[in-house]
Every structure is written in structure tokens, then in C-alpha cells.
């Protein structure tokens, strides 16, 4: 899913890789009515003008999930080309938050481990699963067949 340089201007997106005390990570489904409806992904959203990655992530996670994060660790950046948009995904690890999870956009949530059980997984999520597998010594173990 690579693109020719200069083909389309990428949209910057802040993405939260929420990791709990058991090293599980949170995936949410794409809400009804959105592109790739029902696909599973790490939560987040587009940066608004003048907004930094951490600011956008905090805002998006509060708007979508009802939680307030206590900081975010910038992790990796990945450029993805989808038919509807070219996006630059800024992945941040989040290990501390407070508040009760509320699925405010009608999405679902699942705490996952490798290999993930939910299907289908959004293409932009696959590299993150690979990175997590590499970090955890599970190379090649990203999702079940």
C-alpha cells in the first residue's frame, strides 16, 4: 500500500495504542456509516489545524471513548494509502488513563493479545500488530489465520 511521492497530500492522524496492566491492547471497530465500517483498528483521529499529535490523541480518545489519557509516548509513524485517503498515522503508546470506557460512536471495543481474535482488521493496523509481535518476541505472530 505504498504511494508515489506527491500523489496525494497525507492527512495526519493520531492513533492510540492503549496497553493495560496485562499487556493487552485495545482495538475498536469502525463505527457504522464510516469508511471500512466494522473493521477493527486502534482508536484515534485526524489532527485539527494547529493541534499537536498528543493534543489530537487526547481529544479523540475523549470524544470516541470517554476517557482522559495521562500522557502518550510517541512511538512510530506509518504512511498508508487507502482508496479514500492517504494518511500519515502517528502511533502513540498510552499506558495510563482514567474514566469509564463509553463507545460514543456506536463502535465496539476488545482488549486483545497476539494473535488477535477480532476480524476484519484495518490494513493500517497490521504494521502495529507486527511491531508489537517483534517487541514481545513473537515474530510472525500478528493475527490468526
Amino acid at each position: 500500500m505504498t504511494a508515489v511521492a506527491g500523489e496525494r497530500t497525507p492527512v495526519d492522524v493520531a492513533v492510540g495504542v492503549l496497553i493495560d496492566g496485562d499487556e493487552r491492547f485495545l482495538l475498536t471497530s469502525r463505527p457504522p456509516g464510516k469508511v471500512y465500517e466494522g473493521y477493527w483498528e486502534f482508536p484515534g483521529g485526524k489532527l485539527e489545524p494547529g493541534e499537536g499529535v498528543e493534543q489530537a490523541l487526547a481529544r479523540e480518545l475523549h470524544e470516541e471513548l470517554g476517557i482522559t489519557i495521562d500522557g502518550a509516548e510517541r512511538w512510530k509513524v506509518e504512511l498508508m494509502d487507502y482508496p479514500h485517503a492517504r494518511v500519515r498515522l502517528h502511533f502513540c503508546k498510552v499506558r495510563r488513563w482514567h474514566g469509564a470506557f463509553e463507545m460514543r460512536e456506536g463502535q465496539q471495543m476488545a482488549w486483545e493479545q497476539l494473535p488477535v481474535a477480532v476480524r476484519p482488521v484495518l490494513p493500517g493496523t497490521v504494521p502495529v500488530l507486527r511491531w508489537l509481535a517483534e517487541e514481545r518476541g513473537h515474530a510472525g505472530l500478528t493475527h490468526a489465520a
Side-chain angles (χ1 to χ4, degrees):
M1 292 206 146
T2 56
V4 176
E7 197 174 276
R8 292 188 285 175
T9 302
V11 174
D12 286 295
V13 176
V15 184
V17 180
L18 279 71
I19 302 171
D20 73 5
D22 295 323
E23 292 300 305
R24 298 177 306 168
F25 48 87
L26 182 74
L27 291 177
T28 58
S29 62
R30 299 274 303 160
K34 288 205 175 178
V35 177
Y36 287 99
E37 176 181 333
Y39 277 70
W40 290 84
E41 65 180 351
F42 291 94
K46 297 176 193 167
L47 274 68
E48 292 182 352
E51 210 174 30
V53 171
E54 291 89 349
Q55 280 180 297
L57 184 61
R59 177 185 49 77
E60 286 285 345
L61 293 179
H62 189 262
E63 287 175 3
E64 292 178 11
L65 306 178
I67 62 168
T68 301
I69 62 172
D70 297 325
E73 171 195 340
R74 285 193 186 213
W75 187 31
K76 299 194 183 252
V77 177
E78 182 82 2
L79 191 62
M80 294 295 296
D81 234 355
Y82 290 105
H84 70 287
R86 187 174 193 205
V87 293
R88 184 180 301 115
L89 302 167
H90 299 265
F91 294 100
C92 300
K93 288 184 180 178
V94 178
R95 293 186 179 271
R96 294 182 325 274
W97 58 86
H98 56 275
F101 284 92
E102 302 170 27
M103 299 298 104
R104 293 179 169 178
E105 295 184 345
Q107 74 275 44
Q108 297 176 43
M109 65 178 274
W111 286 103
E112 291 286 328
Q113 294 181 336
L114 297 171
V116 298
V118 294
R119 293 283 180 284
V121 175
L122 193 67
T125 297
V126 174
V128 184
L129 299 176
R130 186 178 63 246
W131 301 329
L132 287 169
E134 289 168 1
E135 280 188 358
R136 297 173 181 193
H138 301 294
L141 180 68
T142 55
H143 58 281

